[in-house]
Amino acid sequence: MERKVSEAEMERLFIALKLPFALCVKLEKERSVLSGKLNFAKWTHSEDYHITLQFLGDTPKRSIPGLLEALKEIPAACSPFHLRLTEWGTFGRPESPKVLWAGVSGETDKLKDLQKRVISVTRPLGFIPEAREFKPHLTLARKYRNELPFSLEKLALLRTEEASGEEESDIADWTVDGFVVYATRMHAIPMYEMIEKFTFF
């Protein structure tokens, strides 16, 4: 009979793209303004901004070295590619969304190829990918809480007002040169700890 693994012997893991520092600063500046005008239960900490490639869930610590070894084969088959944060949107009911997110454009074909490669090396290890289609995004906030219904039109207006007078820049663009494995530290701030980074050759 196999011994049950305790919580202390587990890590809650996921694989993701880490955003560059300058872009995190830009998003944090916008968040600091909008969070005072839009009532969400939780806004993402600036050091936790990421784009998830695969959620792995609770993973026995003894299995992590094998996981990292399997992921090492991916970088040699990839090359850097460009992405750009685009429009903001929501998941859930439009008037009371569960998630506020930023979309991604650019070389998304290469992003999707990377995600498929991640799935292909983790599946043999027992990690089951989500059945739903991969929709790359960056989570900005969770659980809208307000008597007034949420409105994407109002959000767009607030963002336009906040951006007025600022110099135009291409800071929303960045080059992806690798991916990382994160461990979740519940109730910590920031909540995600990078345990390994893989850089494309």
Side-chain angles (χ1 to χ4, degrees):
M1 184 175 178
E2 187 175 346
R3 182 175 66 89
K4 186 177 180 180
V5 180
S6 70
E7 288 188 11
E9 297 174 290
M10 306 283 275
E11 289 278 25
R12 193 171 180 82
L13 303 179
F14 64 96
I15 301 168
L17 301 184
K18 181 177 176 64
L19 265 66
F21 177 75
L23 185 50
C24 290
V25 170
K26 172 183 169 63
L27 287 170
E28 173 61 18
K29 182 179 179 182
E30 193 163 11
R31 182 213 62 80
S32 66
V33 174
L34 295 177
S35 61
K37 300 177 181 180
L38 295 172
N39 189 14
F40 280 86
K42 182 178 182 180
W43 288 80
T44 304
H45 188 279
S46 61
E47 292 182 39
D48 285 337
Y49 290 134
H50 68 274
I51 296 171
T52 300
L53 296 173
Q54 186 184 9
F55 176 71
L56 302 175
D58 292 332
T59 305
K61 289 182 179 178
R62 64 174 183 268
S63 300
I64 295 178
L67 168 67
L68 300 181
E69 188 65 29
L71 291 170
K72 284 181 180 178
E73 72 178 60
I74 296 177
C78 299
S79 59
F81 57 93
H82 300 283
L83 292 179
R84 179 179 180 83
L85 288 186
T86 55
E87 80 289 341
W88 288 17
T90 61
F91 293 141
R93 292 188 300 148
E95 70 278 9
S96 183
K98 292 182 179 180
V99 174
L100 175 66
W101 50 260
V104 180
S105 66
E107 295 181 290
T108 55
D109 55 334
K110 293 185 178 181
L111 171 58
K112 291 177 181 179
D113 179 67
L114 171 60
Q115 192 263 350
K116 288 177 181 177
R117 291 180 185 278
V118 168
I119 297 296
S120 71
V121 301
T122 60
R123 192 193 296 269
L125 301 178
F127 297 102
I128 308 302
E130 293 185 72
R132 59 187 175 184
E133 180 187 357
F134 175 55
K135 295 184 177 179
H137 63 278
L138 184 153
T139 297
L140 299 165
R142 297 180 184 276
K143 297 181 182 178
Y144 181 73
R145 293 179 175 176
N146 200 308
E147 293 180 1
L148 296 175
F150 179 83
S151 165
L152 283 174
E153 290 75 16
K154 179 183 177 182
L155 171 64
L157 181 60
L158 290 173
R159 293 188 67 210
T160 300
E161 291 175 351
E162 192 272 330
S164 63
E166 291 190 0
E167 292 184 10
E168 191 70 24
S169 71
D170 288 330
I171 205 169
D173 292 281
W174 83 100
T175 299
V176 176
D177 63 357
F179 61 94
V180 302
V181 178
Y182 280 115
T184 301
R185 306 298 181 212
M186 296 302 293
H187 311 302
I189 301 176
M191 193 166 66
Y192 305 131
E193 178 184 350
M194 183 173 68
I195 64 170
E196 190 69 77
K197 179 177 181 180
F198 297 90
T199 302
F200 300 149
F201 294 175

